[in-house]
Amino acid sequence: MAKKPILILQMQRMGDLILSFPLMLWLARRHPGHPIFVAAEKIFYEPLMRLSPAATYFPWSGVAHLERHDYELVLNLSIQEKAAVLAGKVRAEAKLGPVQAADGTRYVHGDWQLYRTSLVRNNLYNRFHWGELNGLDTVPFADIAATRFSLPRTLPGSNKVGLFLGASDAAKRPTAAFWAGLVDELHGRGLRTVLFGGPAEKALGAEVAGLAKGPALNLCGTLGLDEFGAVGQTLGLFITPDTGPMHLAAWTGLKCLNLSMGNVNPWETGPFGPGHYVLRADLPCAKGCWQCTQDSLLCHEPFKPARVAGLAKRLASGADGDRLARLELPGLTLFETGRSDLGLYHLRRLDAAVPDAERLASRFWQAAFGGLFGLWEDDRAAEAWSALTRHAPEEAEGLLAHIPEMGRRFKHGLRSGAVLDRSFWADSPAMARPFTGFANMYLENQDYSRQAWAHVLALLERLVAACR
């Protein structure tokens, strides 16, 4: 008898689809013989099929065919309502992610999928990458931690550097003047530049080529994604904002330098896999940014063409992280992608800066949620808490001072069934918001049942135990 397929709903942009590729590999290994179906936007999946793990892709027009199957698992990674409706309609042994019933009620299934939902406008301390959050509810953590991806290739003989000019939001990419200045700085260092972009970047590509004094091969709007993947094999380095083509480049083994600017968080959407580099403004507002609240894009200002070109020259020549750590990049922080001792995606900061309060708090919350959701024992959170109290006592005190209020609200809810409003997490101290945000989302997702109140109270008790 044929085994039931597994259905992944990924109706987001190209980058999100590519970040689902590791999930497809993990599911194929964990469920041998079960076909993997993926519902996605045709414009994104068609050119990626040759690079994708084995899967059968369906456009939205194929929904009627998908509804005829019984599934082993349905995993909805999309925020679109139509995906939640489909997840509610089909028959499956298990469902994860947003699922909408016929009466219009919608629930998010899975602790990690709910955790990701709770990060909306609340991701300051998050240290779980989207590529791993896709699988943590259904793939054994040991499988994820044991996964090893190859290092990107180094082509010392190639002096070609690709620049991807665009991004989904103008705040996430440099200006045309910056790109033109970078073309000239790279040219002065003996590097040839190739400009990349989709149809939306044709005008930008022409503007950059016109502003640059040195030569640049402008391929904006001329290549499909599959053609880009082939051309990328000849490049020594790819310099890019946080974009879908960045994830495609990283997946195909092209070394990336991610210019991380605007409302993105590289811990969540940086190049997945080891050996890539992320350059980010060293500003408080650039940590866990969800939406810019400044009067101007302050995170753009430290990015200077000469600084980026000097770094690019070293990367294209094969310099490793230890040598790059000696570079002076005023106002910027350079990270190298890799794996942490926990077995998760990690950004190693390439300088000698002592971990600040944000870094220590982020390590604590990563360890705490991993413990609460069963990835490891709670003693990891206790170790991270000890480091936080020694080196960032104000943050530790901020959480401790809010614990009685959380306990009071949870106990009141358990007795009365009261409903929490958004202010419960939004008005809590920043250090407490990862927990209050998840608790608020969990209670709403469980219709404020007595079992839900009892569960968040039990989670709080475990958190308090780790903070002793």
Side-chain angles (χ1 to χ4, degrees):
M1 180 181 296
K3 293 185 177 181
K4 294 179 181 179
I6 293 170
L7 175 61
I8 299 171
L9 304 179
Q10 182 51 279
M11 310 303 295
Q12 309 298 95
R13 294 190 293 261
M14 176 177 59
D16 298 284
L17 179 57
I18 297 169
L19 286 179
S20 304
F21 286 178
L23 171 66
M24 298 177 200
L25 293 176
W26 292 325
L27 289 174
R29 293 170 184 169
R30 179 54 49 176
H31 301 276
H34 291 267
I36 294 178
F37 292 177
V38 181
E41 300 291 353
K42 190 174 183 179
I43 190 175
F44 295 137
Y45 76 70
E46 269 197 334
L48 293 174
M49 289 175 67
R50 291 194 299 109
L51 301 170
S52 165
T56 302
Y57 284 88
F58 294 85
W60 191 249
S61 58
V63 164
H65 176 79
L66 292 172
E67 291 178 357
R68 291 198 290 266
H69 288 272
D70 290 342
Y71 295 96
E72 180 75 10
L73 168 69
V74 173
L75 179 50
N76 180 15
L77 303 177
S78 175
I79 61 174
Q80 295 188 28
E81 181 178 359
K82 63 182 182 181
V85 171
L86 177 59
K89 284 184 176 180
V90 297
R91 301 175 299 276
E93 296 295 324
K95 298 180 181 182
L96 293 168
V99 178
Q100 185 165 315
D103 62 3
T105 56
R106 183 185 303 187
Y107 298 94
V108 178
H109 299 269
D111 284 339
W112 289 108
Q113 293 301 318
L114 192 63
Y115 170 83
R116 173 157 48 187
T117 305
S118 76
L119 296 178
V120 176
R121 304 183 185 280
N122 188 30
N123 65 334
L124 173 60
Y125 298 119
N126 177 49
R127 287 296 184 266
F128 291 96
H129 195 281
W130 262 217
E132 291 163 337
L133 283 174
N134 286 338
L136 283 173
D137 278 313
T138 186
V139 179
F141 179 61
D143 291 7
I144 295 175
T147 301
R148 296 293 179 266
F149 293 95
S150 299
L151 289 169
R153 61 186 169 275
T154 297
L155 301 176
S158 173
N159 68 342
K160 289 193 293 185
V161 175
L163 310 181
F164 192 86
L165 306 183
S168 59
D169 185 327
K172 299 179 183 179
R173 64 163 176 82
T175 63
F178 170 90
W179 285 126
L182 182 57
V183 168
D184 292 336
E185 291 288 349
L186 291 170
H187 185 248
R189 290 166 173 79
L191 297 172
R192 295 168 55 198
T193 53
V194 184
L195 309 182
F196 293 96
E201 283 78 43
K202 287 187 70 173
L204 179 58
E207 183 180 4
V208 172
L211 289 172
K213 299 180 179 65
L217 177 60
N218 181 15
L219 297 180
C220 291
T222 66
L223 301 178
L225 290 177
D226 50 349
E227 296 169 311
F228 164 73
V231 173
Q233 305 302 306
T234 69
L235 301 174
L237 181 67
F238 191 58
I239 303 177
T240 171
D242 190 325
T243 64
M246 176 191 76
H247 295 298
L248 177 57
W251 181 257
T252 58
L254 173 53
K255 185 187 297 183
C256 294
L257 171 58
N258 171 209
L259 306 184
S260 180
M261 54 179 61
N263 52 317
V264 297
N265 182 350
W267 283 93
E268 297 168 347
T269 58
F272 194 67
H276 302 285
Y277 294 87
V278 176
L279 198 58
R280 182 83 173 159
D282 193 14
L283 294 169
C285 63
K287 299 171 180 177
C289 177
W290 188 270
Q291 183 176 16
C292 186
T293 59
Q294 306 298 319
D295 295 331
S296 62
L297 295 171
L298 302 179
C299 60
H300 284 223
E301 295 178 5
F303 287 87
K304 307 297 182 186
R307 294 175 189 168
V308 176
L311 171 60
K313 175 67 174 180
R314 290 168 173 79
L315 287 173
S317 300
D320 60 19
D322 292 335
R323 282 189 287 169
L324 294 171
R326 296 193 287 270
L327 284 176
E328 291 189 13
L329 298 164
L332 295 166
T333 303
L334 179 64
F335 301 90
E336 181 180 14
T337 65
R339 310 289 290 185
S340 71
D341 58 354
L342 298 173
L344 292 168
Y345 177 86
H346 184 69
L347 291 175
R348 180 169 74 100
R349 183 166 172 155
L350 297 180
D351 60 25
V354 175
D356 62 7
E358 184 268 341
R359 290 166 69 186
L360 292 167
S362 298
R363 292 173 185 175
F364 167 72
W365 281 117
Q366 183 183 56
F369 276 104
L372 293 176
F373 297 164
L375 300 189
W376 46 70
E377 299 299 324
D378 288 346
D379 57 0
R380 288 188 180 272
E383 293 172 7
W385 176 258
S386 178
L388 183 70
T389 56
R390 289 197 308 272
H391 303 294
E394 290 185 9
E395 275 63 27
E397 181 56 37
L399 177 58
L400 289 176
H402 197 61
I403 283 175
E405 173 63 12
M406 289 190 284
R408 185 187 70 79
R409 296 289 293 273
F410 292 165
K411 290 174 183 176
H412 175 70
L414 183 62
R415 291 192 300 269
S416 67
V419 174
L420 291 175
D421 58 31
R422 182 178 180 274
S423 64
F424 169 71
W425 73 265
D427 295 341
S428 60
M431 182 60 195
R433 283 180 203 156
F435 188 80
T436 56
F438 176 80
N440 205 134
M441 189 66 64
Y442 181 87
L443 289 164
E444 180 181 320
N445 196 59
Q446 298 290 327
D447 296 324
Y448 297 94
S449 66
R450 282 185 57 82
Q451 293 86 350
W453 284 108
H455 182 67
V456 295
L457 191 57
L459 292 180
L460 179 62
E461 290 171 351
R462 288 177 60 188
L463 184 67
V464 170
C467 296
R468 288 174 178 163

